[in-house]
Amino acid sequence: MVEVLAANDQLRNQQKKGKVLQGFHEMPIAFAPTFKFTPGTDRYDLKRTPAWTDRVLYAVHADPLFADLKPLYYMAVPELRTSDHKPVIAGFELSVSPQHANAGRHSKRAGCSIM
């Protein structure tokens, strides 16, 4: 089931077509779909197709000499059962090199974005 859902993932398919969130990345999904659960349970409500609706995307708009964003983990939190969604969390390591910060070659748009 997971392979079929992943192959038909709307966000990834639209990104590949160049229609949404260009320049953003997502770590590989290694967890079960996070939607649509019967609240208070771990059972999918099969009136809707299970899907990954809660996502963490990231982009780095900085010279690698100045900043580097390293993805560490990406996972669902199955223990929370109060909603029809399971929350998703991600961890990153941000390394910043201050000696390159004032080199004059960074645009005002430089930085990291995590959505």
Side-chain angles (χ1 to χ4, degrees):
M1 172 181 90
V2 173
E3 295 83 15
V4 173
L5 291 173
N8 291 288
D9 180 68
Q10 187 176 8
L11 175 60
R12 286 197 179 151
N13 289 339
Q14 292 299 307
Q15 275 187 301
K16 286 177 187 174
K17 291 178 183 176
K19 294 187 176 188
V20 298
L21 300 167
Q22 293 304 292
F24 281 84
H25 307 280
E26 180 179 31
M27 287 181 261
I29 297 175
F31 48 86
T34 55
F35 174 82
K36 163 99 168 115
F37 288 89
T38 301
T41 75
D42 290 321
R43 290 186 318 270
Y44 288 106
D45 176 352
L46 296 178
K47 293 177 189 170
R48 298 278 307 267
T49 303
W52 295 278
T53 56
D54 302 273
R55 311 288 274 267
V56 178
L57 304 176
Y58 64 96
V60 178
H61 305 287
D63 183 327
L65 290 174
F66 173 67
D68 181 50
L69 187 68
K70 177 183 173 186
L72 300 175
Y73 59 87
Y74 188 30
M75 58 193 271
V77 184
E79 297 83 9
L80 296 177
R81 298 176 180 91
T82 57
S83 171
D84 59 353
H85 293 250
K86 299 292 184 180
V88 173
I89 60 173
F92 298 87
E93 179 182 295
L94 176 61
S95 301
V96 179
S97 177
Q99 66 264 28
H100 294 97
N102 296 318
R105 62 182 187 269
H106 303 288
S107 73
K108 291 180 182 179
R109 296 191 57 203
C112 301
S113 302
I114 302 173
M115 299 175 58

PDB file of all heavy atoms in Angstrom, residues 30-62:
ATOM      1  N   ALA A  30       9.915   7.800   5.612  1.00  0.00           N
ATOM      2  CA  ALA A  30      10.113   6.421   6.073  1.00  0.00           C
ATOM      3  C   ALA A  30       9.104   6.089   7.173  1.00  0.00           C
ATOM      4  O   ALA A  30       9.398   5.318   8.081  1.00  0.00           O
ATOM      5  CB  ALA A  30      11.541   6.235   6.570  1.00  0.00           C
ATOM      6  N   PHE A  31       7.921   6.717   7.089  1.00  0.00           N
ATOM      7  CA  PHE A  31       6.878   6.471   8.076  1.00  0.00           C
ATOM      8  C   PHE A  31       5.548   6.293   7.349  1.00  0.00           C
ATOM      9  O   PHE A  31       5.393   6.700   6.194  1.00  0.00           O
ATOM     10  CB  PHE A  31       6.796   7.602   9.112  1.00  0.00           C
ATOM     11  CG  PHE A  31       6.784   8.991   8.530  1.00  0.00           C
ATOM     12  CD1 PHE A  31       5.602   9.590   8.117  1.00  0.00           C
ATOM     13  CD2 PHE A  31       7.963   9.708   8.393  1.00  0.00           C
ATOM     14  CE1 PHE A  31       5.591  10.868   7.587  1.00  0.00           C
ATOM     15  CE2 PHE A  31       7.968  10.988   7.861  1.00  0.00           C
ATOM     16  CZ  PHE A  31       6.774  11.573   7.459  1.00  0.00           C
ATOM     17  N   ALA A  32       4.620   5.677   8.033  1.00  0.00           N
ATOM     18  CA  ALA A  32       3.303   5.406   7.450  1.00  0.00           C
ATOM     19  C   ALA A  32       2.563   6.720   7.186  1.00  0.00           C
ATOM     20  O   ALA A  32       2.878   7.753   7.783  1.00  0.00           O
ATOM     21  CB  ALA A  32       2.498   4.539   8.401  1.00  0.00           C
ATOM     22  N   PRO A  33       1.596   6.694   6.283  1.00  0.00           N
ATOM     23  CA  PRO A  33       0.793   7.907   6.042  1.00  0.00           C
ATOM     24  C   PRO A  33       0.243   8.472   7.354  1.00  0.00           C
ATOM     25  O   PRO A  33      -0.090   7.727   8.286  1.00  0.00           O
ATOM     26  CB  PRO A  33      -0.329   7.405   5.134  1.00  0.00           C
ATOM     27  CG  PRO A  33       0.294   6.257   4.405  1.00  0.00           C
ATOM     28  CD  PRO A  33       1.180   5.589   5.423  1.00  0.00           C
ATOM     29  N   THR A  34       0.158   9.792   7.428  1.00  0.00           N
ATOM     30  CA  THR A  34      -0.206  10.482   8.665  1.00  0.00           C
ATOM     31  C   THR A  34      -1.645  10.985   8.686  1.00  0.00           C
ATOM     32  O   THR A  34      -2.040  11.699   9.587  1.00  0.00           O
ATOM     33  CB  THR A  34       0.755  11.655   8.885  1.00  0.00           C
ATOM     34  OG1 THR A  34       0.730  12.484   7.724  1.00  0.00           O
ATOM     35  CG2 THR A  34       2.167  11.160   9.138  1.00  0.00           C
ATOM     36  N   PHE A  35      -2.422  10.642   7.691  1.00  0.00           N
ATOM     37  CA  PHE A  35      -3.820  11.079   7.585  1.00  0.00           C
ATOM     38  C   PHE A  35      -4.577   9.985   6.877  1.00  0.00           C
ATOM     39  O   PHE A  35      -4.039   9.359   5.972  1.00  0.00           O
ATOM     40  CB  PHE A  35      -3.863  12.376   6.760  1.00  0.00           C
ATOM     41  CG  PHE A  35      -5.242  12.876   6.432  1.00  0.00           C
ATOM     42  CD1 PHE A  35      -5.957  13.617   7.361  1.00  0.00           C
ATOM     43  CD2 PHE A  35      -5.818  12.612   5.204  1.00  0.00           C
ATOM     44  CE1 PHE A  35      -7.222  14.079   7.050  1.00  0.00           C
ATOM     45  CE2 PHE A  35      -7.074  13.070   4.897  1.00  0.00           C
ATOM     46  CZ  PHE A  35      -7.788  13.814   5.821  1.00  0.00           C
ATOM     47  N   LYS A  36      -5.603   9.588   7.155  1.00  0.00           N
ATOM     48  CA  LYS A  36      -6.795  10.010   7.843  1.00  0.00           C
ATOM     49  C   LYS A  36      -7.131   8.954   8.864  1.00  0.00           C
ATOM     50  O   LYS A  36      -7.511   7.851   8.538  1.00  0.00           O
ATOM     51  CB  LYS A  36      -7.912  10.207   6.819  1.00  0.00           C
ATOM     52  CG  LYS A  36      -9.285  10.264   7.344  1.00  0.00           C
ATOM     53  CD  LYS A  36      -9.746  11.677   7.470  1.00  0.00           C
ATOM     54  CE  LYS A  36     -11.215  11.803   7.734  1.00  0.00           C
ATOM     55  NZ  LYS A  36     -11.769  12.302   8.847  1.00  0.00           N
ATOM     56  N   PHE A  37      -6.958   9.304  10.147  1.00  0.00           N
ATOM     57  CA  PHE A  37      -7.194   8.385  11.252  1.00  0.00           C
ATOM     58  C   PHE A  37      -8.546   8.651  11.891  1.00  0.00           C
ATOM     59  O   PHE A  37      -9.057   9.768  11.854  1.00  0.00           O
ATOM     60  CB  PHE A  37      -6.110   8.538  12.327  1.00  0.00           C
ATOM     61  CG  PHE A  37      -4.781   7.997  11.914  1.00  0.00           C
ATOM     62  CD1 PHE A  37      -3.865   8.789  11.253  1.00  0.00           C
ATOM     63  CD2 PHE A  37      -4.456   6.674  12.170  1.00  0.00           C
ATOM     64  CE1 PHE A  37      -2.636   8.282  10.855  1.00  0.00           C
ATOM     65  CE2 PHE A  37      -3.236   6.157  11.778  1.00  0.00           C
ATOM     66  CZ  PHE A  37      -2.323   6.966  11.114  1.00  0.00           C
ATOM     67  N   THR A  38      -9.083   7.632  12.506  1.00  0.00           N
ATOM     68  CA  THR A  38     -10.231   7.836  13.386  1.00  0.00           C
ATOM     69  C   THR A  38      -9.665   8.445  14.658  1.00  0.00           C
ATOM     70  O   THR A  38      -8.793   7.831  15.294  1.00  0.00           O
ATOM     71  CB  THR A  38     -10.932   6.490  13.684  1.00  0.00           C
ATOM     72  OG1 THR A  38     -11.361   5.907  12.453  1.00  0.00           O
ATOM     73  CG2 THR A  38     -12.114   6.682  14.614  1.00  0.00           C
ATOM     74  N   PRO A  39     -10.075   9.679  15.029  1.00  0.00           N
ATOM     75  CA  PRO A  39      -9.500  10.321  16.216  1.00  0.00           C
ATOM     76  C   PRO A  39      -9.569   9.420  17.448  1.00  0.00           C
ATOM     77  O   PRO A  39     -10.537   8.698  17.670  1.00  0.00           O
ATOM     78  CB  PRO A  39     -10.365  11.571  16.401  1.00  0.00           C
ATOM     79  CG  PRO A  39     -10.813  11.897  15.008  1.00  0.00           C
ATOM     80  CD  PRO A  39     -11.059  10.535  14.362  1.00  0.00           C
ATOM     81  N   GLY A  40      -8.488   9.450  18.230  1.00  0.00           N
ATOM     82  CA  GLY A  40      -8.395   8.648  19.439  1.00  0.00           C
ATOM     83  C   GLY A  40      -7.894   7.237  19.201  1.00  0.00           C
ATOM     84  O   GLY A  40      -7.783   6.452  20.142  1.00  0.00           O
ATOM     85  N   THR A  41      -7.593   6.904  17.938  1.00  0.00           N
ATOM     86  CA  THR A  41      -7.156   5.550  17.610  1.00  0.00           C
ATOM     87  C   THR A  41      -5.947   5.593  16.685  1.00  0.00           C
ATOM     88  O   THR A  41      -5.520   6.658  16.238  1.00  0.00           O
ATOM     89  CB  THR A  41      -8.269   4.753  16.885  1.00  0.00           C
ATOM     90  OG1 THR A  41      -8.373   5.227  15.532  1.00  0.00           O
ATOM     91  CG2 THR A  41      -9.600   4.879  17.586  1.00  0.00           C
ATOM     92  N   ASP A  42      -5.444   4.403  16.360  1.00  0.00           N
ATOM     93  CA  ASP A  42      -4.390   4.247  15.354  1.00  0.00           C
ATOM     94  C   ASP A  42      -4.959   3.605  14.089  1.00  0.00           C
ATOM     95  O   ASP A  42      -4.210   3.090  13.269  1.00  0.00           O
ATOM     96  CB  ASP A  42      -3.251   3.387  15.906  1.00  0.00           C
ATOM     97  CG  ASP A  42      -2.473   4.121  16.989  1.00  0.00           C
ATOM     98  OD1 ASP A  42      -2.254   5.338  16.852  1.00  0.00           O
ATOM     99  OD2 ASP A  42      -2.090   3.463  17.978  1.00  0.00           O
ATOM    100  N   ARG A  43      -6.274   3.625  13.927  1.00  0.00           N
ATOM    101  CA  ARG A  43      -6.934   3.023  12.766  1.00  0.00           C
ATOM    102  C   ARG A  43      -7.217   4.076  11.708  1.00  0.00           C
ATOM    103  O   ARG A  43      -7.730   5.163  12.011  1.00  0.00           O
ATOM    104  CB  ARG A  43      -8.265   2.369  13.181  1.00  0.00           C
ATOM    105  CG  ARG A  43      -8.107   1.125  14.029  1.00  0.00           C
ATOM    106  CD  ARG A  43      -9.455   0.434  14.276  1.00  0.00           C
ATOM    107  NE  ARG A  43     -10.532   1.354  14.563  1.00  0.00           N
ATOM    108  CZ  ARG A  43     -10.880   1.787  15.778  1.00  0.00           C
ATOM    109  NH1 ARG A  43     -10.224   1.369  16.832  1.00  0.00           N
ATOM    110  NH2 ARG A  43     -11.888   2.615  15.936  1.00  0.00           N
ATOM    111  N   TYR A  44      -6.906   3.731  10.466  1.00  0.00           N
ATOM    112  CA  TYR A  44      -7.232   4.632   9.366  1.00  0.00           C
ATOM    113  C   TYR A  44      -8.743   4.645   9.152  1.00  0.00           C
ATOM    114  O   TYR A  44      -9.409   3.620   9.243  1.00  0.00           O
ATOM    115  CB  TYR A  44      -6.549   4.187   8.069  1.00  0.00           C
ATOM    116  CG  TYR A  44      -5.062   4.424   8.067  1.00  0.00           C
ATOM    117  CD1 TYR A  44      -4.170   3.377   8.202  1.00  0.00           C
ATOM    118  CD2 TYR A  44      -4.555   5.707   7.933  1.00  0.00           C
ATOM    119  CE1 TYR A  44      -2.806   3.601   8.212  1.00  0.00           C
ATOM    120  CE2 TYR A  44      -3.198   5.939   7.939  1.00  0.00           C
ATOM    121  CZ  TYR A  44      -2.324   4.886   8.074  1.00  0.00           C
ATOM    122  OH  TYR A  44      -0.980   5.119   8.084  1.00  0.00           O
ATOM    123  N   ASP A  45      -9.278   5.818   8.875  1.00  0.00           N
ATOM    124  CA  ASP A  45     -10.665   5.970   8.472  1.00  0.00           C
ATOM    125  C   ASP A  45     -10.661   5.799   6.959  1.00  0.00           C
ATOM    126  O   ASP A  45     -10.289   6.703   6.219  1.00  0.00           O
ATOM    127  CB  ASP A  45     -11.173   7.353   8.865  1.00  0.00           C
ATOM    128  CG  ASP A  45     -12.582   7.647   8.392  1.00  0.00           C
ATOM    129  OD1 ASP A  45     -13.144   6.827   7.621  1.00  0.00           O
ATOM    130  OD2 ASP A  45     -13.122   8.693   8.772  1.00  0.00           O
ATOM    131  N   LEU A  46     -11.044   4.647   6.478  1.00  0.00           N
ATOM    132  CA  LEU A  46     -10.888   4.316   5.060  1.00  0.00           C
ATOM    133  C   LEU A  46     -11.964   4.937   4.173  1.00  0.00           C
ATOM    134  O   LEU A  46     -12.064   4.606   2.989  1.00  0.00           O
ATOM    135  CB  LEU A  46     -10.805   2.804   4.891  1.00  0.00           C
ATOM    136  CG  LEU A  46      -9.563   2.200   5.566  1.00  0.00           C
ATOM    137  CD1 LEU A  46      -9.546   0.688   5.427  1.00  0.00           C
ATOM    138  CD2 LEU A  46      -8.285   2.819   5.024  1.00  0.00           C
ATOM    139  N   LYS A  47     -12.743   5.883   4.718  1.00  0.00           N
ATOM    140  CA  LYS A  47     -13.635   6.677   3.861  1.00  0.00           C
ATOM    141  C   LYS A  47     -12.807   7.624   2.999  1.00  0.00           C
ATOM    142  O   LYS A  47     -13.282   8.121   1.994  1.00  0.00           O
ATOM    143  CB  LYS A  47     -14.633   7.477   4.707  1.00  0.00           C
ATOM    144  CG  LYS A  47     -15.627   6.608   5.453  1.00  0.00           C
ATOM    145  CD  LYS A  47     -16.523   7.462   6.318  1.00  0.00           C
ATOM    146  CE  LYS A  47     -17.365   6.573   7.219  1.00  0.00           C
ATOM    147  NZ  LYS A  47     -18.061   7.371   8.234  1.00  0.00           N
ATOM    148  N   ARG A  48     -11.558   7.893   3.439  1.00  0.00           N
ATOM    149  CA  ARG A  48     -10.607   8.711   2.697  1.00  0.00           C
ATOM    150  C   ARG A  48      -9.342   7.896   2.504  1.00  0.00           C
ATOM    151  O   ARG A  48      -8.999   7.048   3.322  1.00  0.00           O
ATOM    152  CB  ARG A  48     -10.254   9.980   3.496  1.00  0.00           C
ATOM    153  CG  ARG A  48     -11.385  10.921   3.783  1.00  0.00           C
ATOM    154  CD  ARG A  48     -11.707  11.852   2.626  1.00  0.00           C
ATOM    155  NE  ARG A  48     -10.580  12.597   2.115  1.00  0.00           N
ATOM    156  CZ  ARG A  48     -10.242  13.811   2.513  1.00  0.00           C
ATOM    157  NH1 ARG A  48     -10.899  14.425   3.463  1.00  0.00           N
ATOM    158  NH2 ARG A  48      -9.204  14.425   1.966  1.00  0.00           N
ATOM    159  N   THR A  49      -8.637   8.158   1.436  1.00  0.00           N
ATOM    160  CA  THR A  49      -7.377   7.461   1.173  1.00  0.00           C
ATOM    161  C   THR A  49      -6.313   7.967   2.136  1.00  0.00           C
ATOM    162  O   THR A  49      -6.122   9.183   2.260  1.00  0.00           O
ATOM    163  CB  THR A  49      -6.922   7.720  -0.274  1.00  0.00           C
ATOM    164  OG1 THR A  49      -7.941   7.301  -1.156  1.00  0.00           O
ATOM    165  CG2 THR A  49      -5.625   6.999  -0.577  1.00  0.00           C
ATOM    166  N   PRO A  50      -5.615   7.074   2.844  1.00  0.00           N
ATOM    167  CA  PRO A  50      -4.505   7.531   3.700  1.00  0.00           C
ATOM    168  C   PRO A  50      -3.481   8.302   2.862  1.00  0.00           C
ATOM    169  O   PRO A  50      -3.278   8.011   1.675  1.00  0.00           O
ATOM    170  CB  PRO A  50      -3.911   6.226   4.232  1.00  0.00           C
ATOM    171  CG  PRO A  50      -5.036   5.245   4.166  1.00  0.00           C
ATOM    172  CD  PRO A  50      -5.811   5.629   2.925  1.00  0.00           C
ATOM    173  N   ALA A  51      -2.868   9.294   3.481  1.00  0.00           N
ATOM    174  CA  ALA A  51      -1.913  10.132   2.756  1.00  0.00           C
ATOM    175  C   ALA A  51      -0.956  10.790   3.737  1.00  0.00           C
ATOM    176  O   ALA A  51      -1.174  10.772   4.944  1.00  0.00           O
ATOM    177  CB  ALA A  51      -2.665  11.205   1.965  1.00  0.00           C
ATOM    178  N   TRP A  52       0.097  11.387   3.180  1.00  0.00           N
ATOM    179  CA  TRP A  52       1.027  12.197   3.963  1.00  0.00           C
ATOM    180  C   TRP A  52       0.607  13.644   3.745  1.00  0.00           C
ATOM    181  O   TRP A  52       0.968  14.260   2.736  1.00  0.00           O
ATOM    182  CB  TRP A  52       2.464  11.994   3.503  1.00  0.00           C
ATOM    183  CG  TRP A  52       2.969  10.617   3.741  1.00  0.00           C
ATOM    184  CD1 TRP A  52       3.465  10.118   4.917  1.00  0.00           C
ATOM    185  CD2 TRP A  52       3.044   9.542   2.795  1.00  0.00           C
ATOM    186  NE1 TRP A  52       3.838   8.811   4.764  1.00  0.00           N
ATOM    187  CE2 TRP A  52       3.580   8.430   3.461  1.00  0.00           C
ATOM    188  CE3 TRP A  52       2.682   9.407   1.453  1.00  0.00           C
ATOM    189  CZ2 TRP A  52       3.794   7.213   2.848  1.00  0.00           C
ATOM    190  CZ3 TRP A  52       2.878   8.190   0.830  1.00  0.00           C
ATOM    191  CH2 TRP A  52       3.433   7.113   1.525  1.00  0.00           C
ATOM    192  N   THR A  53      -0.162  14.190   4.652  1.00  0.00           N
ATOM    193  CA  THR A  53      -0.623  15.562   4.481  1.00  0.00           C
ATOM    194  C   THR A  53       0.184  16.552   5.302  1.00  0.00           C
ATOM    195  O   THR A  53       0.185  17.727   5.005  1.00  0.00           O
ATOM    196  CB  THR A  53      -2.108  15.703   4.859  1.00  0.00           C
ATOM    197  OG1 THR A  53      -2.273  15.243   6.193  1.00  0.00           O
ATOM    198  CG2 THR A  53      -2.980  14.895   3.921  1.00  0.00           C
ATOM    199  N   ASP A  54       0.826  16.097   6.335  1.00  0.00           N
ATOM    200  CA  ASP A  54       1.660  16.957   7.170  1.00  0.00           C
ATOM    201  C   ASP A  54       3.102  16.702   6.769  1.00  0.00           C
ATOM    202  O   ASP A  54       3.589  15.581   6.857  1.00  0.00           O
ATOM    203  CB  ASP A  54       1.429  16.633   8.647  1.00  0.00           C
ATOM    204  CG  ASP A  54      -0.023  16.799   9.023  1.00  0.00           C
ATOM    205  OD1 ASP A  54      -0.393  17.932   9.373  1.00  0.00           O
ATOM    206  OD2 ASP A  54      -0.780  15.825   8.929  1.00  0.00           O
ATOM    207  N   ARG A  55       3.773  17.752   6.302  1.00  0.00           N
ATOM    208  CA  ARG A  55       5.112  17.581   5.726  1.00  0.00           C
ATOM    209  C   ARG A  55       6.056  18.638   6.281  1.00  0.00           C
ATOM    210  O   ARG A  55       5.641  19.700   6.736  1.00  0.00           O
ATOM    211  CB  ARG A  55       5.047  17.759   4.199  1.00  0.00           C
ATOM    212  CG  ARG A  55       3.946  16.972   3.493  1.00  0.00           C
ATOM    213  CD  ARG A  55       4.204  15.498   3.447  1.00  0.00           C
ATOM    214  NE  ARG A  55       5.017  15.106   2.334  1.00  0.00           N
ATOM    215  CZ  ARG A  55       4.542  14.717   1.157  1.00  0.00           C
ATOM    216  NH1 ARG A  55       3.245  14.648   0.931  1.00  0.00           N
ATOM    217  NH2 ARG A  55       5.367  14.358   0.199  1.00  0.00           N
ATOM    218  N   VAL A  56       7.355  18.373   6.181  1.00  0.00           N
ATOM    219  CA  VAL A  56       8.386  19.351   6.505  1.00  0.00           C
ATOM    220  C   VAL A  56       9.259  19.483   5.265  1.00  0.00           C
ATOM    221  O   VAL A  56       9.890  18.514   4.836  1.00  0.00           O
ATOM    222  CB  VAL A  56       9.239  18.925   7.724  1.00  0.00           C
ATOM    223  CG1 VAL A  56      10.338  19.950   7.988  1.00  0.00           C
ATOM    224  CG2 VAL A  56       8.360  18.749   8.955  1.00  0.00           C
ATOM    225  N   LEU A  57       9.271  20.667   4.691  1.00  0.00           N
ATOM    226  CA  LEU A  57      10.090  20.970   3.518  1.00  0.00           C
ATOM    227  C   LEU A  57      11.147  21.986   3.930  1.00  0.00           C
ATOM    228  O   LEU A  57      10.929  22.782   4.840  1.00  0.00           O
ATOM    229  CB  LEU A  57       9.231  21.553   2.401  1.00  0.00           C
ATOM    230  CG  LEU A  57       8.047  20.706   1.961  1.00  0.00           C
ATOM    231  CD1 LEU A  57       7.235  21.444   0.918  1.00  0.00           C
ATOM    232  CD2 LEU A  57       8.493  19.369   1.430  1.00  0.00           C
ATOM    233  N   TYR A  58      12.277  21.980   3.246  1.00  0.00           N
ATOM    234  CA  TYR A  58      13.331  22.919   3.594  1.00  0.00           C
ATOM    235  C   TYR A  58      14.061  23.372   2.333  1.00  0.00           C
ATOM    236  O   TYR A  58      14.069  22.697   1.310  1.00  0.00           O
ATOM    237  CB  TYR A  58      14.309  22.312   4.597  1.00  0.00           C
ATOM    238  CG  TYR A  58      15.074  21.121   4.071  1.00  0.00           C
ATOM    239  CD1 TYR A  58      16.346  21.278   3.539  1.00  0.00           C
ATOM    240  CD2 TYR A  58      14.529  19.846   4.096  1.00  0.00           C
ATOM    241  CE1 TYR A  58      17.054  20.190   3.040  1.00  0.00           C
ATOM    242  CE2 TYR A  58      15.223  18.751   3.612  1.00  0.00           C
ATOM    243  CZ  TYR A  58      16.475  18.932   3.083  1.00  0.00           C
ATOM    244  OH  TYR A  58      17.161  17.855   2.582  1.00  0.00           O
ATOM    245  N   ALA A  59      14.657  24.555   2.445  1.00  0.00           N
ATOM    246  CA  ALA A  59      15.471  25.104   1.355  1.00  0.00           C
ATOM    247  C   ALA A  59      16.608  25.904   1.970  1.00  0.00           C
ATOM    248  O   ALA A  59      16.439  26.513   3.021  1.00  0.00           O
ATOM    249  CB  ALA A  59      14.634  25.995   0.447  1.00  0.00           C
ATOM    250  N   VAL A  60      17.736  25.900   1.319  1.00  0.00           N
ATOM    251  CA  VAL A  60      18.884  26.681   1.767  1.00  0.00           C
ATOM    252  C   VAL A  60      19.219  27.662   0.652  1.00  0.00           C
ATOM    253  O   VAL A  60      19.451  27.256  -0.482  1.00  0.00           O
ATOM    254  CB  VAL A  60      20.102  25.775   2.080  1.00  0.00           C
ATOM    255  CG1 VAL A  60      21.297  26.614   2.491  1.00  0.00           C
ATOM    256  CG2 VAL A  60      19.748  24.769   3.154  1.00  0.00           C
ATOM    257  N   HIS A  61      19.209  28.929   0.992  1.00  0.00           N
ATOM    258  CA  HIS A  61      19.534  29.987   0.026  1.00  0.00           C
ATOM    259  C   HIS A  61      20.746  30.744   0.548  1.00  0.00           C
ATOM    260  O   HIS A  61      20.674  31.925   0.868  1.00  0.00           O
ATOM    261  CB  HIS A  61      18.346  30.934  -0.154  1.00  0.00           C
ATOM    262  CG  HIS A  61      17.092  30.241  -0.551  1.00  0.00           C
ATOM    263  ND1 HIS A  61      16.897  29.722  -1.807  1.00  0.00           N
ATOM    264  CD2 HIS A  61      15.978  29.949   0.147  1.00  0.00           C
ATOM    265  CE1 HIS A  61      15.708  29.155  -1.870  1.00  0.00           C
ATOM    266  NE2 HIS A  61      15.133  29.275  -0.695  1.00  0.00           N
ATOM    267  N   ALA A  62      21.849  30.045   0.699  1.00  0.00           N
ATOM    268  CA  ALA A  62      23.061  30.661   1.219  1.00  0.00           C
ATOM    269  C   ALA A  62      24.268  29.971   0.611  1.00  0.00           C
ATOM    270  O   ALA A  62      24.213  28.802   0.239  1.00  0.00           O
ATOM    271  CB  ALA A  62      23.103  30.540   2.742  1.00  0.00           C
TER     272      ALA A  62
END
